[in-house]
Amino acid sequence: MFVSSRMMMRFLLPITAFVRIGFGQKRTESATAMNMAFKDNMARALIGTYPDFTLDYALVRISDGIFVGGGSEAVSTVAKQDKEEDFLP
């Protein structure tokens, strides 16, 4: 169990910020977002038997739970006018 746990944590720790956002809305009473991601991915994405564990990256989840929409934010651009400028050396 220790080898598989270590492998999962080595994968999840560098993406902690994404995991906190992705699992942060999951309704739990006592588990953190990282705990939920660890538990979910241990059951889902860790494959193989000791000592040959590996991660199936296609099955890894970095988000789960209730997600709030992005709202009505929008981006627009203003067309730049073409104008000639003389640049003297």
Side-chain angles (χ1 to χ4, degrees), residues 30-51:
S30 60
T32 66
M34 185 60 86
N35 292 132
M36 293 303 298
F38 178 82
K39 181 180 175 184
D40 188 37
N41 285 305
M42 283 291 287
R44 172 184 307 279
L46 192 70
I47 57 174
T49 55
Y50 180 81

Side-chain angles (χ1 to χ4, degrees), residues 13-82:
L13 282 175
I15 58 171
T16 299
F18 297 109
V19 170
R20 285 183 182 152
I21 294 168
F23 278 85
Q25 296 294 321
K26 188 143 177 123
R27 301 285 181 216
T28 62
E29 296 297 322
S30 60
T32 66
M34 185 60 86
N35 292 132
M36 293 303 298
F38 178 82
K39 181 180 175 184
D40 188 37
N41 285 305
M42 283 291 287
R44 172 184 307 279
L46 192 70
I47 57 174
T49 55
Y50 180 81
D52 297 319
F53 291 112
T54 187
L55 288 176
D56 185 346
Y57 296 106
L59 297 176
V60 170
R61 281 191 180 174
I62 59 169
S63 66
D64 192 23
I66 301 168
F67 298 105
V68 180
S72 60
E73 300 298 323
V75 175
S76 62
T77 61
V78 177
K80 185 177 176 182
Q81 294 181 357
D82 291 332

